[in-house]
Amino acid sequence: MGEVDPAFILEPEHRPRISYIEGKGVPLIDLSPILSSNNVSAIEFEGLVKEVGDACKEWGFFQVTNHGVPLEKREKIDDASRKFFAQSLEEKRKVRRNEKEVFGYHDTEHTKNVRDWKEVFDFAIQEPTILPASLDPDDKEVTECNNQCPEYPPELRETCQDYGQEMLKLSYKLLELIALSLGLPADGFYGFFKDQTSYIRLNHYPPCPTPELALGVGQHKDGAVLTILAQDDVGGLEVKRKTDGEWVRVKPTPDAYIINIGDTMQVWSNDRYESVEHRVTVNSERERFSLPFFLHTAHYTMVKPLEELINEQNPAKYRAFNWGKFIANRKCSNFQKLNVENLQIYHFKISE
Ligand code: OGA
Ligand code: NI
């Protein structure tokens, strides 16, 4: 990724500003009240539920500390990721992703049809992960997708599996808090994750000679239920602030996780909690690593507003759509430059 290929260059209105805003940033939430060893008072717990609900509503993004994920597990996967990406392109391409193998290494990712300044390695939580065989809405055929594992570093597979289990534990804690904040029972979301299509992504953003023209990830929303992201100390993640539409940088906070509401949760909550646009800027000096975990439902889930959250005054704002076809469509457009707009949840919006 030495020279700047025109495929990376953004339209002027999408280019990042080189100076960035450090204004009122995303909320920082201390999860220690729900660490299992703690004896938590009802008031303290209620307070936490409200804090999470407010952050979901006002920002769609928050950071958490005292989340219960052991630091050494995070360090281990970070180390494996750095070792993997430090190899030659030829070596990395041995575990390359393609139309059939949807997990693995990829260095030509597109967001909304512009190339991203990054390389990634995707690792599925469920082995095998079942996905639709094609984009055709009438084709019911599915395929079994397995992880591709590089020879080096040899511990990568186990490290990712182990870290994935930690991500699931944290996801379920967060889902309980989010469910309660919406007035649902704590386990209200638990039924959606049998045969889940969740995955971990290792991201590497190399230094970029023209950071004012390109982005590490172009502005986008995650399709997930929620995303749990670990970023290093370099910084670059920016969130579109709901109150004024400004791009605000998420300050790296040691050992914290960044949580964001994805499109699936937006639809489930019938727009009470919105999936917010974000992007990643790059810089000319330092490479950056990040580790998102995308919590996804099973491919056969029909995503639609939850019955408990709609009524006559607040009717469903979306038609049901099939998760597997939605994600397959997104993955296909990430893969190549298409001349049509990417599939988005608003394509399923019921007009008022
Ligand atoms: C993503 C993403 C942010 C980051 O991969 O969807 O938004 O900081 N990544 O790498
Ligand atoms: Ni994202």
Side-chain angles (χ1 to χ4, degrees):
M1 284 169 95
E3 81 288 8
V4 180
D5 183 309
F8 289 105
I9 310 287
L10 295 149
E11 293 297 332
E13 72 270 25
H14 291 308
R15 291 180 193 165
R17 252 203 320 241
I18 287 310
S19 60
Y20 54 83
I21 299 199
E22 277 274 20
K24 186 169 168 356
V26 311
L28 185 66
I29 300 180
D30 179 353
L31 292 184
S32 53
I34 54 164
L35 283 183
S36 49
S37 53
N38 278 8
N39 233 340
V40 57
S41 72
I43 291 181
E44 213 180 347
F45 188 71
E46 290 292 308
L48 180 60
V49 169
K50 180 161 188 325
E51 220 181 326
V52 168
D54 289 349
C56 291
K57 200 164 170 46
E58 287 157 25
W59 281 89
F61 261 86
F62 52 99
Q63 300 203 71
V64 293
T65 55
N66 296 312
H67 39 67
V69 181
L71 182 58
E72 65 270 18
K73 297 210 177 175
R74 172 164 170 174
E75 286 169 346
K76 230 175 140 185
I77 188 168
D78 179 60
D79 182 62
S81 165
R82 285 168 195 265
K83 282 181 179 155
F84 172 74
F85 287 120
Q87 298 179 102
S88 68
L89 196 55
E90 189 194 349
E91 212 43 56
K92 291 181 278 195
R93 285 189 171 164
K94 287 184 183 162
V95 288
R96 197 177 188 167
R97 212 166 97 188
N98 57 45
E99 269 87 351
K100 289 243 148 47
E101 299 276 2
V102 294
F103 300 108
Y105 176 72
H106 191 41
D107 67 343
T108 53
E109 179 112 325
H110 289 77
T111 299
K112 303 204 173 158
N113 299 329
V114 179
R115 255 186 90 177
D116 293 329
W117 193 270
K118 69 167 181 191
E119 50 181 348
V120 312
F121 180 83
D122 288 343
F123 188 93
I125 296 301
Q126 190 109 16
E127 296 188 274
T129 291
I130 315 290
L131 287 168
S134 78
L135 298 183
D136 176 359
D138 297 321
D139 180 3
K140 299 279 181 272
E141 211 176 309
V142 295
T143 59
E144 288 193 355
C145 304
N146 285 294
N147 283 314
Q148 302 193 72
C149 286
E151 269 173 40
Y152 182 83
E155 71 277 15
L156 188 110
R157 181 188 188 89
E158 219 186 293
T159 305
C160 287
Q161 283 170 338
D162 212 24
Y163 187 75
Q165 293 311 306
E166 292 298 330
M167 291 296 101
L168 286 178
K169 272 193 249 167
L170 179 54
S171 296
Y172 293 137
K173 283 187 206 166
L174 292 164
L175 285 175
E176 283 190 11
L177 293 167
I178 294 172
L180 290 168
S181 77
L182 289 166
L184 300 169
D187 61 358
F189 293 118
Y190 276 16
F192 291 103
F193 299 100
K194 182 174 177 281
D195 306 322
Q196 60 185 283
T197 54
S198 307
Y199 65 99
I200 299 171
R201 167 167 283 182
L202 314 180
N203 272 321
H204 174 220
Y205 304 95
C208 173
T210 55
E212 67 288 359
L213 297 179
L215 284 168
V217 189
Q219 86 183 70
H220 70 283
K221 298 178 181 185
D222 296 344
V225 173
L226 50 86
T227 304
I228 304 180
L229 175 90
Q231 68 167 342
D232 66 12
D233 64 341
V234 175
L237 173 63
E238 295 185 340
V239 173
K240 200 167 191 175
R241 186 162 55 194
K242 284 182 79 172
T243 48
D244 57 5
E246 282 289 352
W247 287 103
V248 179
R249 179 162 289 220
V250 183
K251 221 166 128 188
T253 306
D255 193 27
Y257 281 99
I258 299 161
I259 314 296
N260 65 288
I261 295 293
D263 292 344
T264 306
M265 184 60 84
Q266 174 167 348
V267 173
W268 280 348
S269 73
N270 206 30
D271 283 353
R272 272 172 67 182
Y273 295 163
E274 285 169 332
S275 172
V276 166
E277 279 191 307
H278 52 286
R279 66 184 187 184
V280 175
T281 60
V282 279
N283 71 78
S284 54
E285 271 121 52
R286 292 184 67 190
E287 62 181 339
R288 174 174 181 266
F289 293 86
S290 74
L291 298 161
F293 164 76
F294 301 107
L295 180 70
H296 289 178
T297 67
H299 77 87
Y300 49 72
T301 304
M302 293 303 289
V303 181
K304 58 177 200 270
L306 297 181
E307 292 298 334
E308 299 91 324
L309 300 179
I310 53 176
N311 55 41
E312 250 169 60
Q313 289 77 48
N314 180 23
K317 295 186 169 147
Y318 296 89
R319 289 182 279 125
F321 64 87
N322 174 274
W323 170 252
K325 297 290 176 186
F326 184 83
I327 185 83
N329 208 294
R330 278 278 182 92
K331 276 197 174 283
C332 170
S333 62
N334 284 348
F335 215 77
Q336 61 215 48
K337 192 170 167 72
L338 301 174
N339 290 321
V340 292
E341 195 200 5
N342 288 178
L343 192 59
Q344 303 289 342
I345 51 171
Y346 74 77
H347 293 129
F348 301 100
K349 197 121 195 188
I350 296 170
S351 48
E352 278 160 35

